[in-house]
Amino acid sequence: MGPPKHLKPKHKGKALVAGGLSGAIEICCTYPIEYTKTFQQLSTERISMGGVVNRTIKNYGVGGMYRGLSSMLYFATPKAAIRFGSFETVSGMLIDKDGKDKYGLGRAKGFVAGLGAGTMEAIFVTTPQETLKVKLIHDQFFRDPPRYKGFFHGVSTIIKEEGVMEAYKGLMPTILKVSTAQATRFGVFNAIPHEYRKTPWQAALSGAFAGGISVVIFQGIDVVKSRMQGLESHKYAGPLDCTRKIIAQEGQIYFTVEENGGSSKSIRTCRRNN
């Protein structure tokens, strides 16, 4: 969730740059895990993390594991800005002029602020970012050869053929997933006693724990989101129809951790939130 307050940049501009830069570095380091998670969620056949890696490298080389990275990098800074800016704004709305808890929420204040921050993030950044990433990854293993030659070619082709609103496919499950996940992360992190997150290492472990909890709870929603944003989204009338079809055709919506991207997502989220 970030370093302790006394270690954070005091200037808002510096904090934004630091947040965007750290986010970009984190994405580059962990993206193969994100790719693996998305591949598993889109695949209608059960495939392990190792199977995804072997199949991708065999067909496209190591670079294939970074398919869709551009969409994550280009949105890194605005995503960080909206997430933490919204969190601070909502947090400010929950206290009075004397800095006291206006509504008596206690530790739940972090959860409520995270809910608002996640909603804003999903609407303005995460949905188009995730749609583009998912389509680029799906294109690589769904089509032979892949149709999209890169990020900008993929964006221009999608908008030209399907319109700008195609980037907002899966908006509702994305809002639900991101808002509740961020609420859980901020809520769990802030619920951890301050004395246990004073140092950078303590804050890192607390953030990893909070991120891991959110993955376990909201894995099913993430699967529905990915399916709604993939190249076969036309098969689903909406999030509920997508959920019903996955349950009917592939089993329980929550899925096993290994077979549907849960383990790979847990690894990346724990690393991202430290």
Side-chain angles (χ1 to χ4, degrees):
M1 292 289 91
K5 289 184 177 180
H6 68 282
L7 295 177
K8 292 181 179 180
K10 299 186 183 301
H11 190 279
K12 290 185 177 180
K14 290 182 179 179
L16 176 59
V17 173
L21 182 60
S22 63
I25 294 174
E26 175 269 322
I27 290 167
C28 290
C29 293
T30 63
Y31 190 78
I33 303 173
E34 176 71 14
Y35 170 89
T36 302
K37 181 266 297 187
T38 304
F39 191 117
Q40 288 178 297
Q41 292 178 337
L42 290 170
S43 178
T44 55
E45 62 182 53
R46 295 183 176 181
I47 183 169
S48 66
M49 292 176 62
V52 173
V53 174
N54 291 335
R55 178 172 169 179
T56 301
I57 293 179
K58 179 180 178 180
N59 294 327
Y60 302 102
V62 176
M65 297 294 297
Y66 287 87
R67 178 76 164 180
L69 172 64
S70 300
S71 66
M72 303 290 282
L73 286 176
Y74 294 143
F75 287 96
T77 298
K79 186 174 186 176
I82 290 176
R83 174 186 298 177
F84 292 102
S86 298
F87 181 79
E88 294 299 328
T89 299
V90 177
S91 295
M93 295 169 63
L94 299 177
I95 59 176
D96 58 25
K97 60 182 179 180
D98 298 320
K100 297 181 179 179
D101 191 343
K102 187 186 295 185
Y103 303 103
L105 296 173
R107 293 187 182 276
K109 186 160 64 72
F111 181 88
V112 175
L115 192 67
T119 300
M120 293 298 102
E121 177 189 330
I123 293 173
F124 293 106
V125 180
T126 306
T127 301
Q129 175 199 52
E130 286 290 303
T131 299
L132 295 172
K133 179 204 74 178
V134 169
K135 286 185 181 297
L136 287 170
I137 292 175
H138 205 178
D139 174 67
Q140 180 166 270
F141 74 86
F142 183 71
R143 293 168 172 155
D144 188 20
R147 184 181 181 193
Y148 304 138
K149 299 176 182 178
F151 175 78
F152 292 108
H153 179 257
V155 171
S156 61
T157 302
I158 292 169
I159 293 177
K160 181 179 179 181
E161 297 181 354
E162 304 176 62
V164 175
M165 292 309 297
E166 181 66 18
Y168 274 86
K169 277 288 185 68
L171 175 62
M172 291 311 298
T174 302
I175 291 177
L176 181 61
K177 177 246 178 180
V178 176
S179 62
T180 51
Q182 293 301 348
T184 301
R185 290 172 193 172
F186 280 115
V188 171
F189 183 81
N190 289 332
I192 297 173
H194 181 69
E195 58 266 27
Y196 295 115
R197 47 188 175 89
K198 288 182 178 179
T199 68
W201 273 110
Q202 288 176 328
L205 292 174
S206 297
F209 176 74
I213 292 295
S214 71
V215 170
V216 172
I217 296 175
F218 303 110
Q219 164 67 5
I221 300 174
D222 198 37
V223 174
V224 172
K225 175 199 73 67
S226 293
R227 294 291 181 89
M228 291 292 296
Q229 294 171 330
L231 298 178
E232 296 186 299
S233 59
H234 60 276
K235 292 182 177 181
Y236 311 114
L240 293 179
D241 180 58
C242 180
T243 302
R244 284 194 296 266
K245 288 181 176 177
I246 293 175
I247 293 175
Q249 299 171 12
E250 301 170 51
Q252 190 175 2
I253 185 61
Y254 219 73
F255 305 114
T256 61
V257 172
E258 172 64 21
E259 292 174 342
N260 290 278
S263 55
S264 49
K265 181 175 175 62
S266 296
I267 294 170
R268 180 176 182 269
T269 303
C270 288
R271 291 177 63 88
R272 181 177 65 190
N273 286 282
N274 58 37

